Amino acid sequence: MIPALDVLAGRATPPFLAQTTPRDRDGRRVALMALAGPVAAIAASFAVILAVFGAGRALGVPHNVVGGELGDLPRLLKSSVYIVEVGIGLAAAAAGLLLAARLIFRRPFHSWITVAPRFRWQVLAWGAAAGVVAILALSLISVLMPQSGEAPILDAGEPLKQRLIYMAAVSLGFLIASWAEEVVFRGYLLQQVGVFTRRVWLVLLINGVIFALFHLEFDPGALAARALLGMVFAWATLRLGGLEFGIGAHATQNLGVAMFGEVLLPTSAPTAIKLSELGFELVLAVVILACVEWLYRRRTLAALAEA
């Protein structure tokens, strides 16, 4: 097993970063990707969302929450549709970006996803479990330090059927959205930055900062929290040799916010986190990192991650 400090210091190259080729360092290809990647992502997302909205209208079921349709829908159901819509749009954008990368750098799609021969659903499940453990730890802390939040799934004022639909829809939507974000930030971006520096700590920092800025919410607390989690998910990717764990943990973390925090809608206010509340984010990060290291020490996974 490779010591974590050796990876951070650049004395050992994580296999996930080793999947790059000389083409990834070609300045012309990198420049072309910088132009074509966003265009492909936007075009794919736009086309898929239009297809979804068009199918809804053809079936007589308009469901464009972002455009203002279904204004009379109960808020949990409206949030359910909204989160699934966002997930589909993000997934289409990620697929467009991967297609552009595939054509420009001439690498197989899976090389941006995992070092394993196939996607490891078991590792994704471990990531989701780590997210649950982290949420439980935060819940225990919040008993001593109460935090504000709606906890919509516990609200007896909401019909049980709507709460069940909400739980199912946001679980699916966040799983899709987490796959998309991990592919873009911990798949393509992590490897692309990694070809230009052996300083893994710097790769992690850049990844976390760009991930935070991408959400376009510039509250200092929110930026710091997202940057920290972005770095944690990036470390999980490098340590375990793929995106699977990060997808599971990322989805669970978002799910915890939706179920025990706020109902997410297009009109939701930007996230604001007091700097004094960042201790909760640190607890979340420590728990996930501990789970990553524990899982890394499982013999079969460690052998794969170091292959």
Side-chain angles (χ1 to χ4, degrees):
M1 291 185 287
I2 302 174
L5 289 178
D6 285 352
V7 176
L8 286 172
R11 291 190 292 268
T13 301
F16 190 75
L17 294 183
Q19 298 201 111
T20 57
T21 72
R23 287 188 291 271
D24 295 271
R25 300 176 181 83
D26 186 330
R28 291 172 299 177
R29 293 178 189 269
V30 173
L32 178 59
M33 183 63 190
L35 295 174
V39 172
I42 294 171
S45 181
F46 188 70
V48 169
I49 288 295
L50 279 183
V52 170
F53 291 165
R57 287 192 175 278
L59 296 172
V61 186
H63 49 275
N64 183 355
V65 174
V66 178
E69 295 178 354
L70 302 180
D72 297 329
L73 200 67
R75 66 174 192 149
L76 288 188
L77 299 185
K78 185 185 297 186
S79 179
S80 299
V81 176
Y82 172 62
I83 290 172
V84 171
E85 284 179 353
V86 170
I88 292 173
L90 289 175
L97 185 79
L98 270 189
L99 178 59
R102 169 72 179 87
L103 295 174
I104 292 171
F105 297 112
R106 298 180 184 177
R107 287 168 45 194
F109 288 113
H110 81 268
S111 65
W112 283 283
I113 297 173
T114 183
V115 300
R118 60 183 61 85
F119 191 86
R120 298 167 294 179
W121 290 98
Q122 184 180 17
V123 178
L124 185 148
W126 279 115
V132 170
V133 171
I135 290 171
L136 289 175
L138 293 180
S139 298
L140 291 175
I141 295 173
S142 66
V143 171
L144 302 175
M145 301 175 58
Q147 298 293 306
S148 60
E150 297 182 63
I153 65 167
L154 301 178
D155 187 353
E158 300 284 358
L160 177 60
K161 182 178 179 180
Q162 291 183 20
R163 282 186 278 165
L164 292 175
I165 293 174
Y166 177 74
M167 290 172 63
V170 298
S171 297
L172 175 63
F174 280 132
L175 181 61
I176 297 171
S178 297
W179 175 88
E181 291 191 9
E182 292 304 306
V183 163
V184 173
F185 293 101
R186 261 66 69 180
Y188 170 72
L189 182 63
L190 189 68
Q191 290 186 352
Q192 192 60 68
V193 173
V195 301
F196 294 110
T197 177
R198 290 180 58 86
R199 297 180 177 86
V200 172
W201 64 267
L202 181 59
V203 174
L204 297 176
L205 180 61
I206 292 173
N207 194 271
V209 169
I210 295 178
F211 176 66
L213 293 174
F214 168 79
H215 288 81
L216 301 179
E217 294 179 1
F218 301 110
D219 170 77
L223 282 173
R226 287 203 173 100
L228 176 62
L229 288 180
M231 293 171 68
V232 168
F233 295 145
W235 176 253
T237 298
L238 298 183
R239 199 64 166 151
L240 302 178
L243 307 181
E244 299 96 338
F245 183 95
I247 293 171
H250 192 162
T252 305
Q253 187 267 337
N254 286 341
L255 196 58
V257 173
M259 290 188 176
F260 301 105
E262 307 294 332
V263 177
L264 302 179
L265 292 165
T267 55
S268 296
T271 302
I273 298 176
K274 297 179 181 178
L275 292 177
S276 60
E277 297 174 351
L278 285 178
F280 285 84
E281 303 301 325
L282 286 172
V283 170
L284 181 67
V286 168
V287 171
I288 293 177
L289 288 174
C291 292
V292 167
E293 289 304 308
W294 175 82
L295 190 58
Y296 174 75
R297 284 165 171 74
R298 290 169 62 91
R299 185 172 303 174
T300 54
L301 186 59
L304 176 60
E306 295 173 6

